[in-house]
């Protein structure tokens, strides 16, 4: 280790900067190589976990509409109004059933 002490300070500084440049280059190369892996994982995360949240929200809103219509149909004494509420539920359930088919497992 005596040979390091015999070197000039400028040579030591230049050598350390060259070593740091090599380490930085290696880290950069690994970053570039794995950016595709990160992109694929990010796309999978968005498609499998973020998009279904919006679909589940739509289904929740439709469920609440169905629940309110059933409540109103039960509380009303008019048979025509009950039929109207139940028909509206069938239309809402049909739209909600379409959303249920779009939501899929994240596996």
């Amino acid at each position: 280790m005596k040979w390091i002490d015999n070197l000039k300070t400028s040579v030591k500084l230049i050598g350390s900067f060259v070593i740091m440049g090599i380490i930085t280059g290696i880290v950069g190369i690994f970053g570039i190589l794995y950016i595709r892996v990160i992109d694929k994982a990010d796309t999978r995360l968005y498609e499998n976990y973020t998009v279904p949240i919006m679909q589940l929200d739509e289904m929740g809103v439709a469920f609440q509409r169905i629940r309110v219509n059933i409540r109103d149909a039960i509380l009303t004494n008019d048979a025509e109004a009950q039929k109207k509420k139940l028909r509206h539920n069938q239309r809402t359930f049909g739209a909600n059933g379409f959303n249920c088919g779009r939501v899929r497992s994240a596996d």
Side-chain angles (χ1 to χ4, degrees):
M1 290 298 224
K2 196 74 167 160
W3 63 275
I4 292 178
D5 292 334
N6 293 335
L7 292 175
K8 291 184 179 181
T9 304
S10 62
V11 174
K12 291 177 189 177
L13 282 172
I14 291 173
S16 65
F17 280 116
V18 168
I19 291 172
M20 290 303 296
I22 291 171
I23 291 172
T24 304
I26 291 170
V27 169
I29 289 170
F30 276 110
I32 291 171
L33 292 176
Y34 284 101
I35 196 88
R36 289 189 182 104
V37 174
I38 293 170
D39 181 49
K40 287 179 185 176
D42 179 53
T43 302
R44 181 177 178 268
L45 180 70
Y46 175 75
E47 289 175 353
N48 292 337
Y49 295 101
T50 305
V51 173
I53 290 173
M54 293 181 285
Q55 296 168 347
L56 290 173
D57 180 54
E58 293 171 4
M59 289 171 36
V61 169
F63 172 77
Q64 291 301 324
R65 286 184 184 149
I66 290 170
R67 185 188 65 80
V68 168
N69 284 335
I70 290 175
R71 181 203 63 196
D72 292 344
I74 290 172
L75 292 178
T76 187
N77 292 330
D78 185 20
E80 188 59 37
Q82 285 179 345
K83 289 179 184 178
K84 182 179 176 184
K85 294 285 185 185
L86 294 176
R87 280 195 302 268
H88 187 266
N89 267 357
Q90 288 174 345
R91 286 193 303 269
T92 304
F93 184 72
N96 190 23
F98 175 73
N99 286 341
C100 289
R102 289 191 317 187
V103 175
R104 59 186 169 92
S105 173
D107 293 335

